[in-house]
Amino acid sequence: MDCSLVRTLVHRYCAGEENWVDSRTIYVGHREPPPGAEAYIPQRYPDNRIVSSKYTFWNFIPKNLFEQFRRVANFYFLIIFLVQLIIDTPTSPVTSGLPLFFVITVTAIKQGYEDWLRHKADNAMNQCPVHFIQHGKLVRKQSRKLRVGDIVMVKEDETFPCDLIFLSSNRGDGTCHVTTASLDGESSHKTHYAVQDTKGFHTEEDIGGLHATIECEQPQPDLYKFVGRINVYSDLNDPVVRPLGSENLLLRGATLKNTEKIFGVAIYTGMETKMALNYQSKSQKRSAVEKSMNAFLIVYLCILISKALINTVLKYVWQSEPFRDEPWYNQKTESERQRNLFLRAFTDFLAFMVLFNYIIPVSMYVTVEMQKFLGSYFITWDEDMFDEETGEGPLVNTSDLNEELGQVEYIFTDKTGTLTENNMEFKECCIEGHVYVPHVICNGQVLPESSGIDMIDSSPSVNGREREELFFRALCLCHTVQVKDDDSVDGPRKSPDGGKSCVYISSSPDEVALVEGVQRLGFTYLRLKDNYMEVLNRENHVERFELLEILSFDSVRRRMSVIVKSATGEIYLFCKGADSSIFPRVIEGKVDQIRARVERNAVEGLRTLCVAYKRLIQEEYEGICKLLQAAKVALQDREKKLAEAYEQIEKDLILLGATAVEDRLQEKAADTIEALQKAGIKVWVLTGDKMETAAATCYACKLFRRNTQLLELTTKRIEEQSLHDVLFELSKTVLRHSGSLTRDNLSGLSADIQDYGLIIDGAALSLIMKPREDGSSSNYRELFLEICRSCSAVLCCRMAPLQKAQIVKLIKFSKEHPITLAVGDGANDVSMILEAHVGIGVIGKEGRQAARNSDYAIPKFKHLKKMLLVHGHFYYIRISELVQYFFYKNVCFIFPQFLYQFFCGFSQQTLYDTAYLTLYNISFTSLPILLYSLMEQHIGIDVLKRDPTLYRDVAKNALLRWRVFIYWTLLGLFDALVFFFGAYFMFENTTVTSNGQIFGNWTFGTLVFTVMVFTVTLKLALDTHYWTWINHFVIWGSLLFYVVFSLLWGGVIWPFLNYQRMYYVFIQMLSSGPAWLAIVLLVTISLLPDVLKKVLCRQLWPTATERVQSPGYQSTCPSAAWYSSHSQQVMLAAWKGKVSVEPPPTLSGSRHHCSSSPSHSCPGTRVQMLV
């Protein structure tokens, strides 16, 4: 008996994850392989159902309750509620149960509604019709019924229902075009290729007769990686083995374009598709405010336990005297006398805990959630952050971090596409030392005055002419650009020649710019047809090159190559890439002249690429084919083997020349960085570009200034000196001035303060992060961090994506634990966006992967200014007041109850009625603070944008520090003492009603409660700076609601109550003149200390915010407008060289300071290029 099947199943379902097989075998069309080929083992895979919902109808209640009671506050109130049910407590279980039920219900309804929407979306997706081949015929069924191995037919403009291996299309060359906008946001058309041996199967009958198996890796979330191979069986022959890569894989969610139909076989379905694997939830980020809330909650929990202990001890001390424990009117039963003393004490302790538990504000969590959820709409509704050009507005992917936007200390930004437009413009090319400047082309538009080829330097020789044409052919052939003779395609780019019109499409804007640029130099790339690339040369002759191999670009090699065969039979390898990856592989060519030109262009901020080639003889090409084929069909370590093969192939090259492409700064990028630095935020640029290009961009966007001394921590310098020596030399340099380099003046523009900028590259960072031989890696890291802290700006160049995340993590977990923000626009920025406290994606041209993985998304980098300086500032101010106010009003609420126990023999008698206990946090005081936390603007929006230094007033969690928390708590204690003892002393031994009656305990409690409700509500009114009709309605409406409720509650005999102790109490209290006097007097006394404190602090020690709030404040800066208009003219011939300083005309060279911030000089100088 063959036990292999049993063994396989046991390993599959019983073994741990480490024993899981790393590949799968798929039988195309569910057809068994021929006898003797291999064992047929049918495998079970999930169906094609997508499930994004969290709950089902059956598990919603238990699962949701479990998740909600994992929150400490909810669990705590559940315990209190159960204690009230079990033992005899002074308050009704309703007082704890009702608020808890309200909180749980509101949260459950919100989460249930969100999950219902997810269920609707899932059902719509799972019930889409799909066409697949069964027994050579076309059959239609629902998407959810699709299985791995089914052959599917997809028509033009349909989305792929699962991950498919591309078998054939209606095109003769076996290609198809797809867009992946829903996966990574890229709207450009990508070309995919059918399997070589199946691309001729065009009918249902042909494809239904296909006999093949596919071996591939288990599902992986990486959208751009796939490893597999297909075995195609023909009659009586060995199977043909073909490699499968990402170019053969059609992903679920992508859309078929410009192709009538395709056939593909399903390999990953349902929750195993790459799209579904990429929808895994991100790790939960917690804001600093939430951490402060939890810390304050622990303090109040300790206060609660202390109160309960003190009362329990004092109760038994007081009852130790005779007859106090058992007065004549309330004698105990025999069983009560015999109860264990410790058990009685513990029961009393729990009863006091229940009595004082309202000091923990359970409703605060619901109010905070509502404030965050509703407040996030202010970002999406902000018209100033809407980009007319792209039609995009800001997105909020999570509302949990709104207030964190007001606490940012470090910003880590990508360069290309974030600070720059990612809109490439071909500037020049250098061939054999000769420089060519074509017509300026940008987005297919030609400047009208442009004409011909401008050649700088002398004309090339005859041999040079041959190299020149070879260079142009290399640019026409070495790329992955697609051509569409159709103007309606997204992002049309026309040929500027009046004749032929082409639309060039590529996932890389650089490639389009190069193909457009070389077109102006006389060589036009026409198309790729039947594996032949066609080029129109200067003589208007079409040259055809057979495309033999493509060695794709990757971020590690930083280059790509093609192998082509000309019509004369010559075989060429053309290679283009970064200078650092091309120069070491060159054995011939004018390297020095081209390197000098590349460095000059890099200094001017241009993106440079080098182009090289070599001729191959037939034997060499055949050896290359074998090498590549062996690497391509490998299932294990395919990427590593391909990288080794590419390394062997791309060597001994002949250098042809270099290109220069300009990526212009985004609008107002410089102004945004300047404002952020004034706000006390350190900005770091993390980029994969070379050092000179990135440094020039940093000067242009004002990250580095005219007086910035640049410090290098690069591989080149470490080669000359040891890492240890370089680090200590840099630390000596910067720490010598550390006394003067404070956080305030680092961000200023003053010329008389020396500040530093650090430049580090990826290789140097690897050495710093690498553990030393003695195991002490932290020494270098700490030294590096000290240097970074003393620098006003840091530029990290040649960074890999994971290194970007490493840098963010290094700062994030440094000893100060600063709040970090990462902003980027491409897939390579996702790792740092996920690592930072706040991740912001720019909706750019490199796709939406960054925007999808971020916490917030913005259309342009300039919108970051308003998001932080205005929205972030407001969010933090509002929520910090909300948190402190909630604790304050609960201290006011419960401390009189504590004091009351000293006057009632510690009998656990309540001071307030049950209705007041229940509704205080739910109704009487909840809406005013919620509206305040949504609408408060303590300073005008224009002032916040005009004066970024105000951001520093709320930095480092300033409004939730322990000092502020203690002030609010002491204020609450003072107010509680005034409420209780003011009412107590005013009516002690006093006849207060017209018929000679004195107030009872419920009237006393109601008076205290009335004074408290008015005081805490008016305290919020005093703190409100921005009044609208909604504020007036809610604040005065809440007070009116309390009065009306009390009149109704005490004016009617309610039949459902088993007591009527509040009957006529409120009305009787209001009929007394002394009660009115007490209310007015006690409210005034309670509010007086806070008012006096604010007046004195504003007069003697005003903060920047309080100065701005004063009526006579003005912020003007005459040179600011001039400086802004010239921000794009900041140019440097060499970023280490000299600069000329030209004052603005209106200032006549004098220095001018903003009146709003005397310590910071205005941008009154202009840095200009010296060429």
Side-chain angles (χ1 to χ4, degrees):
M1 175 183 173
D2 185 9
C3 298
S4 60
L5 176 58
V6 176
R7 189 162 53 247
T8 301
L9 293 174
V10 168
H11 275 287
R12 171 67 54 82
Y13 296 107
C14 302
E17 189 68 28
E18 67 277 1
N19 293 324
W20 180 265
V21 289
D22 55 3
S23 64
R24 59 170 56 181
T25 302
I26 296 147
Y27 303 99
V28 178
H30 306 289
R31 296 185 65 182
E32 298 181 19
E38 56 185 88
Y40 176 62
I41 305 173
Q43 298 176 11
R44 293 182 60 185
Y45 301 110
D47 60 19
N48 201 37
R49 191 182 290 114
I50 286 287
V51 180
S52 64
S53 54
K54 275 175 75 174
Y55 308 106
T56 64
F57 179 79
W58 305 107
N59 72 7
F60 173 72
I61 291 176
K63 190 173 181 180
N64 187 265
L65 287 177
F66 173 74
E67 288 179 353
Q68 291 208 56
F69 284 119
R70 287 170 66 184
R71 297 185 76 165
V72 176
N74 289 349
F75 184 71
Y76 163 77
F77 271 87
L78 177 66
I79 296 298
I80 292 293
F81 176 65
L82 293 176
V83 168
Q84 286 177 297
L85 289 175
I86 294 168
I87 67 171
D88 184 21
T89 56
T91 57
S92 165
V94 175
T95 57
S96 291
L98 193 61
L100 179 64
F101 177 76
F102 174 75
V103 169
I104 296 292
T105 305
V106 168
T107 308
I109 290 171
K110 173 178 169 283
Q111 293 178 350
Y113 175 70
E114 290 172 350
D115 205 60
W116 177 70
L117 293 179
R118 285 193 286 266
H119 271 285
K120 278 185 68 177
D122 290 347
N123 290 336
M125 190 179 292
N126 293 331
Q127 291 172 8
C128 283
V130 174
H131 296 90
F132 74 108
I133 310 299
Q134 192 171 37
H135 306 304
K137 294 181 180 178
L138 204 59
V139 180
R140 179 171 164 169
K141 64 180 177 182
Q142 289 182 347
S143 172
R144 63 188 175 87
K145 296 180 179 177
L146 207 59
R147 297 289 183 273
V148 170
D150 285 347
I151 299 176
V152 180
M153 186 187 81
V154 180
K155 295 180 180 178
E156 186 174 2
D157 293 327
E158 290 182 352
T159 56
F160 301 116
C162 60
D163 291 350
L164 305 168
I165 290 296
F166 181 20
L167 296 177
S168 69
S169 73
N170 65 303
R171 291 169 172 263
D173 58 358
T175 61
C176 74
H177 301 294
V178 304
T179 58
T180 56
S182 61
L183 294 170
D184 56 14
E186 295 183 18
S187 57
S188 57
H189 291 48
K190 297 182 176 68
T191 305
H192 287 255
Y193 302 91
V195 177
Q196 189 70 23
D197 300 274
T198 63
K199 68 179 184 181
F201 294 6
H202 297 299
T203 66
E204 289 82 357
E205 291 79 13
D206 291 342
I207 206 79
L210 176 63
H211 216 168
T213 59
I214 293 172
E215 296 171 75
C216 63
E217 62 186 0
Q218 293 291 358
Q220 303 287 343
D222 192 335
L223 295 174
Y224 310 104
K225 179 190 168 193
F226 176 72
V227 176
R229 63 184 174 214
I230 184 169
N231 303 302
V232 181
Y233 298 97
S234 55
D235 296 336
L236 304 175
N237 292 327
D238 289 335
V240 178
V241 181
R242 298 287 183 190
L244 298 175
S246 56
E247 70 277 5
N248 309 114
L249 182 66
L250 305 173
L251 298 177
R252 177 176 190 143
T255 306
L256 183 65
K257 293 288 186 183
N258 302 316
T259 310
E260 188 181 324
K261 66 177 181 180
I262 65 102
F263 292 106
V265 58
I267 58 163
Y268 303 132
T269 53
M271 299 307 291
E272 289 187 342
T273 58
K274 289 182 180 287
M275 182 183 77
L277 293 175
N278 273 279
Y279 283 164
Q280 300 302 322
S281 58
K282 304 186 288 288
S283 60
Q284 187 69 29
K285 295 180 180 179
R286 294 172 62 215
S287 69
V289 170
E290 191 177 340
K291 292 171 187 172
S292 297
M293 279 169 52
N294 291 338
F296 298 160
L297 205 66
I298 291 170
V299 170
Y300 272 62
L301 191 60
C302 293
I303 293 173
L304 170 64
I305 294 170
S306 303
K307 281 183 177 182
L309 278 173
I310 290 169
N311 275 261
T312 305
V313 171
L314 290 178
K315 175 177 181 175
Y316 283 93
V317 169
W318 188 79
Q319 289 181 353
S320 61
E321 294 186 25
F323 304 111
R324 282 189 176 173
D325 186 30
E326 198 174 346
W328 61 270
Y329 57 84
N330 191 18
Q331 292 188 1
K332 293 182 179 179
T333 62
E334 194 62 32
S335 62
E336 285 177 331
R337 291 194 188 97
Q338 292 177 0
R339 273 185 79 193
N340 184 281
L341 177 65
F342 291 106
L343 187 61
R344 276 189 292 154
F346 181 69
T347 306
D348 284 328
F349 171 76
L350 289 179
F352 280 118
M353 285 280 288
V354 168
L355 187 64
F356 301 139
N357 82 85
Y358 301 96
I359 198 171
I360 306 293
V362 66
S363 56
M364 179 177 70
Y365 283 94
V366 156
T367 309
V368 165
E369 275 198 20
M370 291 174 69
Q371 189 267 350
K372 288 183 175 183
F373 175 70
L374 297 173
S376 63
Y377 283 100
F378 289 117
I379 289 180
T380 56
W381 290 338
D382 192 336
E383 293 181 357
D384 291 344
M385 296 175 69
F386 183 82
D387 187 55
E388 297 286 349
E389 183 185 332
T390 59
E392 299 279 1
L395 301 172
V396 178
N397 295 328
T398 175
S399 59
D400 292 338
L401 303 171
N402 293 345
E403 65 278 5
E404 207 82 329
L405 295 170
Q407 295 295 294
V408 175
E409 296 172 67
Y410 281 83
I411 290 178
F412 302 92
T413 174
D414 178 40
K415 183 181 81 71
T416 306
T418 305
L419 293 177
T420 60
E421 291 183 347
N422 203 12
N423 196 0
M424 307 303 174
E425 180 181 320
F426 187 85
K427 300 299 288 185
E428 68 169 53
C429 58
C430 174
I431 307 168
E432 294 276 305
H434 302 286
V435 180
Y436 300 72
V437 181
H439 299 179
V440 179
I441 302 171
C442 184
N443 290 344
Q445 301 299 316
V446 187
L447 294 184
E449 64 272 14
S450 302
S451 60
I453 302 176
D454 294 328
M455 284 189 57
I456 305 172
D457 302 335
S458 59
S459 298
S461 61
V462 176
N463 186 41
R465 186 83 175 175
E466 183 185 330
R467 288 279 175 92
E468 173 192 302
E469 293 191 352
L470 204 55
F471 176 87
F472 294 150
R473 288 189 182 97
L475 289 184
C476 282
L477 298 171
C478 189
H479 56 72
T480 56
V481 171
Q482 301 167 34
V483 182
K484 281 299 296 175
D485 297 325
D486 179 8
D487 294 348
S488 65
V489 180
D490 294 335
R493 290 182 163 82
K494 293 185 182 179
S495 165
D497 298 344
K500 181 164 178 63
S501 170
C502 293
V503 179
Y504 293 126
I505 307 165
S506 174
S507 56
S508 167
D510 293 79
E511 289 197 326
V512 173
L514 291 175
V515 174
E516 286 178 338
V518 79
Q519 191 174 25
R520 300 307 308 160
L521 295 169
F523 281 76
T524 303
Y525 173 61
L526 298 178
R527 61 179 174 174
L528 172 66
K529 184 180 180 183
D530 298 331
N531 219 37
Y532 280 86
M533 302 179 83
E534 297 180 0
V535 176
L536 185 69
N537 62 21
R538 287 172 179 162
E539 287 76 33
N540 281 333
H541 295 149
V542 175
E543 300 177 2
R544 298 180 85 235
F545 293 84
E546 184 182 358
L547 180 60
L548 301 175
E549 296 286 349
I550 296 178
L551 280 60
S552 303
F553 175 87
D554 65 66
S555 56
V556 178
R557 282 167 52 239
R558 297 182 65 81
R559 62 186 182 275
M560 76 160 289
S561 301
V562 293
I563 301 176
V564 296
K565 182 190 281 190
S566 67
T568 57
E570 292 178 308
I571 301 175
Y572 292 95
L573 180 144
F574 292 117
C575 182
K576 73 174 182 189
D579 57 321
S580 59
S581 66
I582 297 292
F583 284 142
R585 289 166 178 75
V586 167
I587 57 170
E588 189 182 328
K590 297 187 178 180
V591 177
D592 293 335
Q593 295 98 313
I594 293 173
R595 179 182 275 122
R597 191 70 193 181
V598 165
E599 288 176 357
R600 181 185 183 281
N601 287 334
V603 162
E604 293 181 5
L606 302 178
R607 296 164 65 87
T608 56
L609 285 175
C610 293
V611 180
Y613 84 105
K614 72 174 177 180
R615 282 191 174 89
L616 300 173
I617 59 175
Q618 187 64 33
E619 290 76 14
E620 281 182 293
Y621 170 64
E622 288 171 359
I624 286 172
C625 283
K626 290 177 182 176
L627 192 63
L628 288 174
Q629 180 68 10
K632 284 178 179 178
V633 297
L635 284 183
Q636 303 292 330
D637 299 325
R638 179 184 290 185
E639 285 187 347
K640 181 182 175 184
K641 291 175 182 175
L642 277 174
E644 291 170 354
Y646 292 163
E647 193 70 26
Q648 290 185 46
I649 297 166
E650 295 168 326
K651 63 181 183 181
D652 303 332
L653 304 174
I654 301 169
L655 187 62
L656 284 172
T659 63
V661 172
E662 183 183 29
D663 187 9
R664 291 177 297 183
L665 273 186
Q666 279 197 18
E667 179 193 4
K668 296 184 179 177
D671 294 341
T672 302
I673 285 183
E674 183 184 12
L676 294 173
Q677 287 187 321
K678 279 185 176 181
I681 300 171
K682 288 194 175 184
V683 182
W684 291 27
V685 174
L686 313 182
T687 179
D689 269 3
K690 62 185 300 177
M691 184 172 73
E692 294 81 5
T693 306
T697 304
C698 289
Y699 272 113
C701 68
K702 294 192 255 187
L703 187 71
F704 295 155
R705 304 187 180 281
R706 63 185 183 278
N707 61 319
T708 302
Q709 180 181 338
L710 293 186
L711 308 173
E712 288 186 26
L713 183 53
T714 58
T715 316
K716 184 179 178 183
R717 188 169 176 188
I718 291 171
E719 287 171 357
E720 296 167 359
Q721 297 174 264
S722 69
L723 176 62
H724 181 274
D725 293 341
V726 173
L727 283 171
F728 274 91
E729 187 179 318
L730 292 177
S731 67
K732 272 169 54 181
T733 305
V734 298
L735 296 178
R736 193 165 54 238
H737 300 274
S738 60
S740 61
L741 286 173
T742 63
R743 184 181 177 85
D744 289 343
N745 59 40
L746 271 178
S747 305
L749 295 165
S750 179
D752 55 356
I753 294 173
Q754 176 65 64
D755 69 341
Y756 295 95
L758 178 68
I759 299 179
I760 180 172
D761 62 17
L765 179 69
S766 297
L767 290 173
I768 291 169
M769 303 298 288
K770 184 180 177 183
R772 289 161 64 184
E773 291 178 3
D774 57 0
S776 57
S777 64
S778 60
N779 292 355
Y780 284 164
R781 292 187 194 182
E782 285 303 316
L783 200 54
F784 171 65
L785 281 172
E786 282 297 323
I787 296 167
C788 290
R789 286 190 203 103
S790 303
C791 293
S792 59
V794 178
L795 165 63
C796 305
C797 49
R798 298 295 196 196
M799 287 280 144
L802 285 178
Q803 284 184 312
K804 292 183 178 184
Q806 272 185 322
I807 284 276
V808 175
K809 191 173 184 179
L810 190 66
I811 297 298
K812 181 179 170 183
F813 292 109
S814 60
K815 60 185 178 184
E816 294 94 355
H817 294 287
I819 304 299
T820 58
L821 180 147
V823 54
D825 71 317
N828 60 331
D829 302 316
V830 169
S831 53
M832 75 169 178
I833 284 172
L834 293 177
E835 183 62 52
H837 290 96
V838 183
I840 295 186
V842 177
I843 307 169
K845 298 186 177 181
E846 290 190 28
R848 301 207 177 197
Q849 205 160 344
R852 282 197 297 110
N853 286 277
S854 62
D855 304 304
Y856 302 89
I858 52 176
K860 293 284 175 65
F861 182 78
K862 66 179 181 180
H863 298 131
L864 191 63
K865 177 180 176 181
K866 188 172 185 184
M867 179 170 263
L868 297 187
L869 303 187
V870 178
H871 289 292
H873 195 120
F874 282 156
Y875 283 137
Y876 179 74
I877 289 285
R878 292 163 179 168
I879 202 165
S880 57
E881 175 89 8
L882 184 152
V883 171
Q884 300 281 27
Y885 179 79
F886 253 99
F887 283 112
Y888 157 77
K889 72 187 181 74
N890 277 39
V891 170
C892 292
F893 180 44
I894 216 64
F895 196 65
Q897 180 73 69
F898 172 73
L899 296 173
Y900 187 57
Q901 296 307 302
F902 289 85
F903 296 88
C904 67
F906 305 99
S907 62
Q908 297 146 14
Q909 170 65 34
T910 60
L911 177 62
Y912 315 116
D913 180 59
T914 302
Y916 289 157
L917 283 170
T918 306
L919 297 178
Y920 176 73
N921 277 320
I922 292 179
S923 300
F924 300 148
T925 60
S926 58
L927 269 182
I929 185 59
L930 177 60
L931 261 294
Y932 175 96
S933 65
L934 287 173
M935 306 191 70
E936 171 64 0
Q937 294 182 19
H938 64 304
I939 303 174
I941 292 174
D942 292 337
V943 177
L944 283 176
K945 287 197 287 189
R946 199 164 57 234
D947 193 352
T949 55
L950 296 171
Y951 190 84
R952 302 183 187 198
D953 271 11
V954 298
K956 294 186 177 292
N957 209 11
L959 301 183
L960 287 174
R961 289 179 185 162
W962 287 104
R963 180 171 53 84
V964 183
F965 169 71
I966 290 169
Y967 168 75
W968 279 86
T969 303
L970 291 177
L971 185 65
L973 290 174
F974 172 80
D975 288 353
L977 288 168
V978 171
F979 304 155
F980 185 84
F981 287 109
Y984 177 78
F985 289 122
M986 185 162 287
F987 300 122
E988 188 181 25
N989 303 321
T990 305
T991 302
V992 292
T993 60
S994 56
N995 60 2
Q997 290 182 343
I998 59 173
F999 284 166
N1001 67 315
W1002 293 115
T1003 311
F1004 175 73
T1006 303
L1007 177 62
V1008 172
F1009 191 82
T1010 303
V1011 174
M1012 176 174 58
V1013 169
F1014 273 78
T1015 300
V1016 297
T1017 306
L1018 292 174
K1019 157 75 174 140
L1020 190 64
L1022 286 173
D1023 286 349
T1024 301
H1025 294 88
Y1026 185 70
W1027 284 93
T1028 64
W1029 68 268
I1030 303 176
N1031 295 78
H1032 284 290
F1033 176 78
V1034 168
I1035 285 178
W1036 313 124
S1038 291
L1039 294 177
L1040 183 63
F1041 172 73
Y1042 164 69
V1043 173
V1044 171
F1045 173 83
S1046 297
L1047 288 170
L1048 288 173
W1049 185 246
V1052 178
I1053 297 178
W1054 299 99
F1056 56 84
L1057 293 177
N1058 56 5
Y1059 64 89
Q1060 300 295 333
R1061 62 193 178 202
M1062 291 301 292
Y1063 180 66
Y1064 214 63
V1065 166
F1066 192 74
I1067 298 168
Q1068 185 190 40
M1069 183 189 78
L1070 293 184
S1071 66
S1072 166
W1076 283 92
L1077 176 64
I1079 292 170
V1080 173
L1081 192 61
L1082 295 179
V1083 168
T1084 305
I1085 293 172
S1086 300
L1087 294 174
L1088 194 60
D1090 193 45
V1091 173
L1092 288 174
K1093 179 253 180 189
K1094 286 181 177 176
V1095 170
L1096 288 173
C1097 286
R1098 280 174 180 269
Q1099 292 300 318
L1100 301 177
W1101 309 284
T1103 63
T1105 301
E1106 288 167 346
R1107 282 195 296 269
V1108 168
Q1109 289 169 342
S1110 62
Y1113 170 79
Q1114 285 185 336
S1115 175
T1116 56
C1117 185
S1119 66
W1122 177 91
Y1123 192 73
S1124 175
S1125 67
H1126 287 75
S1127 63
Q1128 298 300 322
Q1129 299 180 20
V1130 180
M1131 302 174 290
L1132 283 97
W1135 47 270
K1136 283 185 176 178
K1138 297 179 180 178
V1139 296
S1140 68
V1141 180
E1142 176 194 335
T1146 55
L1147 296 177
S1148 303
S1150 65
R1151 291 175 59 196
H1152 177 80
H1153 295 275
C1154 294
S1155 60
S1156 63
S1157 183
S1159 62
H1160 300 286
S1161 62
C1162 287
T1165 53
R1166 172 182 172 187
V1167 184
Q1168 195 167 22
M1169 185 185 218
L1170 292 175
V1171 182

